[in-house]
């Protein structure tokens, strides 16, 4: 407790040049202002913020007027919810009027009512660790729901009953899983029970809000905690049903591994390998591809006569399922294409065997992976969860060899560019044809030659093109 108080004091000293003058400005106008929620919680955990959340007695129009002339920039995109945002130096600040909000039973949007007291505002917040505030100026600490105790005990509880909290905003059930993943906290048994009983209510929340929480959960330090909670409570059945479906019933002879546990292990191993990626992580595309890479298995599982089980084409089926789920969650086309491509390609390496791929096969592997090659390296390596050390080491060495061959060919051939030796203008000039379908077919013919044989040079490419064109006429 003493350490938490010290951390808060240090953080308040750090941000004092911003919040103290701002608090004084509101006080002189007869309004209350308090730092609230995540910044207070994280200050106690020794984490620093440049994004600050504050709450106030002032109505939005008053807040906006008080910020004008003080902030470097002001925006009111959240005005309907009582929030005015601004920038001051390196700080992004959001100030929200005291409020209470609740969903109508069938509504996707909260009905917002402004409140009059800080205590009332804190009471409508999602969890006690987010229901602490520091008044400014003056730095009076407010903790009516003993959030500091729950923070010390690393547990998530709601200020009131979880049933009331989740009725007010069902997305808070997703946030419980997200905070478990971000903070590594346990979730109170009563909260888990309410999530389980009310899981279906998440369906009234917009797909975009669910998506945003899912992205934060997947990119958190401990995503397995949050995902397991979603599955345990039944929330995953509504927001990501492909995940609980991976918990295939084991047959009595244990002829296949637990796909659900395997998937979570692949996710964790992907996280361990993220330093290999540009930026070093967290990388949502790589993590979500790990989460979805085997979702096609339940639909493709077949038991065969010799006592084995197969999942033929689960990569292709899984890619289609991934696209469908990400579309339902309103992900953009680019990130959907990236994840689905990785799911579809995740088995390709296993055709490499003991390194018998030709150079042309290696080129095709690189071409098909495109700009996802580095993520494909990570996913393929992470997908090895065998406990057989000898087998795991053999797979690692084989993939090391494949990466080395890719690097060697790239250095020799500028593999990343992967273009034919002649461009479209040269094709039209040599064949005497206008732009159109024939030019495209000729280009693809030359690209196949490039993939099969490597760089041909302009002279040989010209000969091959003329021979191909003659054979068509």
């Amino acid at each position: 407790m003493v350490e938490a108080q010290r951390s808060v004091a240090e953080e308040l000293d750090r941000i004092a040049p911003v919040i103290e003058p701002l608090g004084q400005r509101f006080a002189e106008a007869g309004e209350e202002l308090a730092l609230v929620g995540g910044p207070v919680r994280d200050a106690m955990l020794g984490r620093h913020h440049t994004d600050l959340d504050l709450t106030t007695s002032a109505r939005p129009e008053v807040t906006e007027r008080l910020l004008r002339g003080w902030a470097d920039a002001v925006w009111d995109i959240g005005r309907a919810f009582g929030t005015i945002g601004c920038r001051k130096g390196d700080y992004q600040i959001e100030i929200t009027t005291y409020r209470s909000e609740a969903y109508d039973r069938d509504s996707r949007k909260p009905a917002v009512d402004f409140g009059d007291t800080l205590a009332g505002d804190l009471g409508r917040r999602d969890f006690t660790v987010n229901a602490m505030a520091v008044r400014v100026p003056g730095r009076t600490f407010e903790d009516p729901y003993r959030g500091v105790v729950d923070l010390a005990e690393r547990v998530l509880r709601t200020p009131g009953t979880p049933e009331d909290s989740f009725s007010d905003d069902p997305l808070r059930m997703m946030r419980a899983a997200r905070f478990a993943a971000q903070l590594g906290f346990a979730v109170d048994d009563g909260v888990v029970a309410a999530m389980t009983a009310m899981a279906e209510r998440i369906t009234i929340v917009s797909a975009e809000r669910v998506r945003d929480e899912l992205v934060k959960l997947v990119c958190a330090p401990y995503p397995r905690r949050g995902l397991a909670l979603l599955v345990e409570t039944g929330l995953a059945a509504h927001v990501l049903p492909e995940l609980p479906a991976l918990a295939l019933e084991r047959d009595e002879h244990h002829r296949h591994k637990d796909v659900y546990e395997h998937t979570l292990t692949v996710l964790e191993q992907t996280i361990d390998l993220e330093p290999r990626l540009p930026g070093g992580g967290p990388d949502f595309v790589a993590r979500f591809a790990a989460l979805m890479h085997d979702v096609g298995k339940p639909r493709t599982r077949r038991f065969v006569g010799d006592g084995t089980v197969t999942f033929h084409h689960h990569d292709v089926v899984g890619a289609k399922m991934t696209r469908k789920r990400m579309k339902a969650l309103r992900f953009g086309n680019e990130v959907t294409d990236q994840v689905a491509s990785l799911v579809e390609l995740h088995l390709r390496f296993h055709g490499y065997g003991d390194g018998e791929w030709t150079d042309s096969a290696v080129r095709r592997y690189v071409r098909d992976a495109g700009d996802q090659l580095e993520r494909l390296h990570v996913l393929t390596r992470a997908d090895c969860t065998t406990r057989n050390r000898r087998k795991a080491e053999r797979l690692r060495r084989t993939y090391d060899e494949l990466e080395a061959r890719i690097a060697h060919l790239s250095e020799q051939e500028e593999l990343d560019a992967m273009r034919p030796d002649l461009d479209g203008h040269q094709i039209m000039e040599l064949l005497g044809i206008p732009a159109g379908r024939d030019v495209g077919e000729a280009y693809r013919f030359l690209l196949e030659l490039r993939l099969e044989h490597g760089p041909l040079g302009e002279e040989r490419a010209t000969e091959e093109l003329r021979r191909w064109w003659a054979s068509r006429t």
Side-chain angles (χ1 to χ4, degrees):
M1 192 77 71
V2 173
E3 184 61 32
Q5 291 173 340
R6 183 182 301 114
S7 296
V8 171
E10 290 175 355
E11 176 67 357
L12 291 175
D13 286 342
R14 187 183 71 86
I15 64 178
V18 174
I19 62 171
E20 290 295 337
L22 185 58
Q24 189 62 42
R25 196 176 183 91
F26 273 71
E28 289 173 355
E31 303 288 357
E32 298 176 355
L33 186 68
L35 189 69
V36 71
V40 178
R41 178 198 69 223
D42 286 349
M44 292 185 173
L45 295 173
R47 300 175 180 177
H48 298 319
H49 272 274
T50 54
D51 293 342
L52 303 179
D53 293 327
L54 295 103
T55 187
T56 181
S57 59
R59 294 303 189 255
E61 62 276 8
V62 176
T63 296
E64 185 174 15
R65 175 172 55 80
L66 292 173
L67 290 175
R68 299 288 179 189
W70 176 82
D72 299 329
V74 178
W75 52 90
D76 66 350
I77 192 170
R79 177 184 291 275
F81 299 98
T83 300
I84 303 296
C86 74
R87 177 175 55 81
K88 180 69 171 179
D90 294 333
Y91 291 89
Q92 300 280 348
I93 301 169
E94 288 192 348
I95 303 176
T96 303
T97 302
Y98 297 156
R99 67 187 189 187
S100 61
E101 63 184 32
Y103 271 79
D104 293 332
R105 181 167 297 277
D106 298 316
S107 174
R108 288 181 178 268
K109 297 181 179 180
V112 177
D113 293 319
F114 295 139
D116 298 314
T117 66
L118 177 58
D121 182 84
L122 296 178
R124 57 147 294 276
R125 294 186 175 264
D126 50 8
F127 302 104
T128 60
V129 295
N130 295 328
M132 300 179 288
V134 177
R135 293 181 183 271
V136 289
R139 300 191 182 185
T140 303
F141 180 57
E142 302 285 351
D143 182 23
Y145 301 100
R146 302 184 66 208
V148 69
V149 174
D150 288 341
L151 195 68
E153 295 179 352
R154 300 176 64 81
V155 64
L156 289 173
R157 293 191 179 91
T158 53
T161 68
E163 290 80 7
D164 286 345
S165 182
F166 299 154
S167 290
D168 286 348
D169 187 351
L171 190 68
R172 291 174 176 175
M173 296 185 286
M174 288 287 296
R175 296 188 75 189
R178 190 247 291 185
F179 282 125
Q182 285 183 330
L183 302 173
F185 283 15
V187 181
D188 177 71
D189 289 344
V191 172
V192 173
M195 291 170 66
T196 305
M198 303 175 68
E200 187 177 3
R201 189 161 168 77
I202 195 66
T203 58
I204 75 167
V205 180
S206 69
E208 291 83 358
R209 295 184 74 207
V210 170
R211 174 202 63 207
D212 292 347
E213 285 298 325
L214 186 61
V215 169
K216 292 174 184 177
L217 188 161
V218 170
C219 291
Y222 315 103
R224 185 174 189 141
R225 284 177 177 259
L227 293 167
L229 183 61
L230 292 181
V231 171
E232 174 190 350
T233 58
L235 278 163
H238 299 288
V239 301
L240 194 64
E242 295 79 7
L243 184 59
L246 292 175
L248 301 173
E249 290 185 14
R250 275 184 174 271
D251 60 285
E252 60 180 339
H253 302 293
H254 295 265
R255 289 172 289 189
H256 62 82
K257 67 179 71 175
D258 185 327
V259 184
Y260 172 70
E261 289 296 328
H262 164 75
T263 294
L264 294 182
T265 300
V266 172
L267 172 60
E268 291 181 323
Q269 293 185 169
T270 296
I271 294 170
D272 291 340
L273 291 169
E274 279 180 336
R276 295 171 57 103
L277 297 174
D283 189 296
F284 173 76
V285 170
R287 293 188 184 196
F288 203 61
L291 196 60
M292 302 295 283
H293 80 283
D294 274 348
V295 296
K297 279 191 170 181
R299 292 190 181 180
T300 58
R301 183 174 66 160
R302 299 290 183 271
F303 294 103
V304 293
D306 62 358
T308 60
V309 63
T310 65
F311 302 97
H312 293 316
H313 306 301
H314 78 268
D315 46 347
V316 177
V317 172
K320 291 179 180 178
M321 293 172 64
T322 296
R323 287 185 182 279
K324 184 177 180 181
R325 178 54 48 201
M326 295 185 74
K327 182 179 180 180
L329 288 169
R330 305 292 193 270
F331 279 97
N333 291 335
E334 181 178 5
V335 68
T336 298
D337 288 344
Q338 291 171 341
V339 174
S341 175
L342 289 168
V343 172
E344 186 166 359
L345 293 172
H346 83 274
L347 289 181
R348 186 73 63 87
F349 160 71
H350 295 286
Y352 188 71
D354 294 322
E356 63 268 20
W357 274 5
T358 62
D359 283 352
S360 64
V362 175
R363 294 185 192 102
R364 293 175 197 280
Y365 186 78
V366 174
R367 180 197 64 179
D368 292 346
D371 61 2
Q372 299 306 301
L373 181 61
E374 292 303 320
R375 287 182 173 127
L376 183 58
H377 289 334
V378 165
L379 176 59
T380 303
R381 289 179 179 277
D383 195 23
C384 175
T385 61
T386 178
R387 295 181 181 178
N388 184 322
R389 292 185 179 181
R390 184 173 298 179
K391 181 180 179 181
E393 180 61 23
R394 177 176 59 79
L395 287 170
R396 185 192 64 77
R397 287 198 308 268
T398 305
Y399 206 84
D400 284 345
E401 178 189 330
L402 175 58
E403 284 201 58
R405 287 184 65 186
I406 291 171
H408 180 66
L409 284 172
S410 294
E411 184 177 351
Q412 284 187 322
E413 305 176 6
E414 297 183 358
L415 199 55
D416 290 340
M418 200 70 77
R419 296 183 179 89
D421 296 87
L422 302 174
D423 63 24
H425 292 292
Q426 290 172 303
I427 290 171
M428 288 187 287
E429 183 177 347
L430 285 167
L431 300 182
I433 58 176
R437 180 180 299 177
D438 287 340
V439 177
E441 290 185 13
Y443 188 91
R444 285 190 290 274
F445 166 73
L446 290 173
L447 180 58
E448 286 298 317
L449 286 181
R450 169 76 168 79
L451 290 167
E452 189 68 30
H453 303 291
L456 302 176
E458 187 172 326
E459 183 177 349
R460 182 183 170 191
T462 299
E463 293 175 0
E464 294 289 349
L465 177 64
R466 291 188 187 282
R467 187 178 297 113
W468 171 81
W469 182 250
S471 71
R472 298 177 75 252
T473 58

